């Protein structure tokens, strides 16, 4: 299954549709403005909230939390001891961990579970500017969760890049 995500990603108050590879609207990303923390909702075409995404407050490192039905589902943060800056860990509440690695800012990365590929995020082979694809590889994978993971990882990498620019020599 392939989903197309517009790259104007995650501005406060921004809403945008995620489409399937046939151009049908599948999910709406609803950016919530006027909040103390970054907050987004992934909704279906009827407006039902499937996934809630928010920044964890009072965390030592930037952390995003993914929830479903008012319950936490996963936390996402950059790996502590990673030689690659573009390496993130997704800790699901059931103890399962997903691994996200690749060129996050270039929109070329993968989501894996115990070495098995779940999704590939890529701009290659797309003709629509400022769009990237989320290819869900496994049939039994949760597309909404994997799209939320991609959205969160990109958001964290963008924030980190912005912070690095401010901290670097100028």
């Amino acid at each position: 299954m392939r989903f197309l995500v517009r790259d104007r990603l995650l501005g406060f108050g921004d809403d945008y549709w995620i489409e399937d590879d046939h151009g049908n609207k599948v999910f709406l990303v609803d950016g919530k403005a006027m909040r103390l923390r970054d907050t987004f909702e992934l909704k279906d075409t009827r407006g039902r909230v499937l996934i809630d995404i928010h920044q964890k407050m009072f965390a030592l490192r930037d952390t995003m939390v993914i929830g479903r039905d008012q319950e936490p589902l996963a936390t996402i943060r950059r790996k502590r001891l990673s030689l690659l800056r573009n390496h993130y860990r997704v800790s699901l509440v059931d103890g399962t961990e997903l691994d996200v690695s690749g060129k996050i800012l270039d929109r070329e990365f993968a989501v894996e579970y115990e070495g098995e590929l779940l999704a590939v995020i890529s701009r290659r082979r797309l003709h629509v500017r400022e769009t990237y694809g989320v290819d869900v590889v496994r049939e039994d994978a949760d597309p909404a969760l994997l799209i939320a993971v991609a959205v969160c990882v990109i958001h964290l990498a963008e924030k980190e890049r912005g912070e690095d620019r401010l901290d670097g020599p100028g």
Side-chain angles (χ1 to χ4, degrees):
M1 293 178 280
R2 172 177 272 182
F3 300 93
L4 303 177
V5 183
R6 301 279 177 245
D7 210 10
R8 253 191 36 226
L9 213 53
L10 297 181
F12 285 109
D14 282 352
D15 297 346
Y16 57 92
W17 283 97
I18 296 173
E19 301 172 348
D20 64 14
D21 55 353
H22 301 293
N24 300 313
K25 294 177 180 176
V26 180
F27 301 111
L28 174 69
V29 176
D30 184 0
K32 299 296 182 183
M34 306 304 290
R35 303 277 174 102
L36 291 175
R37 58 186 179 186
D38 298 344
T39 303
F40 312 94
E41 292 175 339
L42 189 63
K43 298 178 178 181
D44 66 12
T45 56
R46 295 181 179 171
R48 291 179 298 196
V49 176
L50 302 174
I51 299 278
D52 173 51
I53 305 167
H54 63 270
Q55 182 179 3
K56 186 172 183 176
M57 299 294 286
F58 310 114
L60 294 176
R61 292 180 292 150
D62 278 342
T63 303
M64 298 294 289
V65 177
I66 297 174
R68 179 177 278 147
D69 299 325
Q70 307 296 324
E71 295 292 325
L73 182 61
T75 57
I76 301 175
R77 64 178 55 99
R78 188 171 61 83
K79 278 193 169 182
R80 253 187 238 170
L81 300 174
S82 174
L83 297 175
L84 301 171
R85 290 180 58 120
N86 292 316
H87 204 114
Y88 290 81
R89 175 177 289 129
V90 180
S91 302
L92 300 171
V93 293
D94 67 1
T96 304
E97 288 191 351
L98 306 180
D99 202 36
V100 181
S101 61
K103 297 178 180 177
I104 309 295
L105 295 173
D106 291 336
R107 310 311 189 248
E108 299 291 336
F109 59 97
V111 181
E112 297 179 334
Y113 168 67
E114 293 186 350
E116 184 179 346
L117 188 62
L118 297 179
V120 175
I121 291 73
S122 178
R123 279 191 172 151
R124 288 186 209 139
R125 296 174 283 154
L126 292 179
H127 301 290
V128 181
R129 286 182 45 117
E130 300 196 14
T131 299
Y132 61 90
V134 176
D135 290 312
V136 178
V137 176
R138 280 189 45 169
E139 296 266 333
D140 62 341
D142 181 349
L145 174 62
L146 292 172
I147 289 169
V149 166
V151 166
C152 288
V153 168
I154 291 169
H155 182 68
L156 288 170
E158 291 279 342
K159 277 186 77 173
E160 187 175 297
R161 180 180 71 174
E163 289 171 7
D164 288 347
R165 285 185 188 163
L166 294 176
D167 294 339

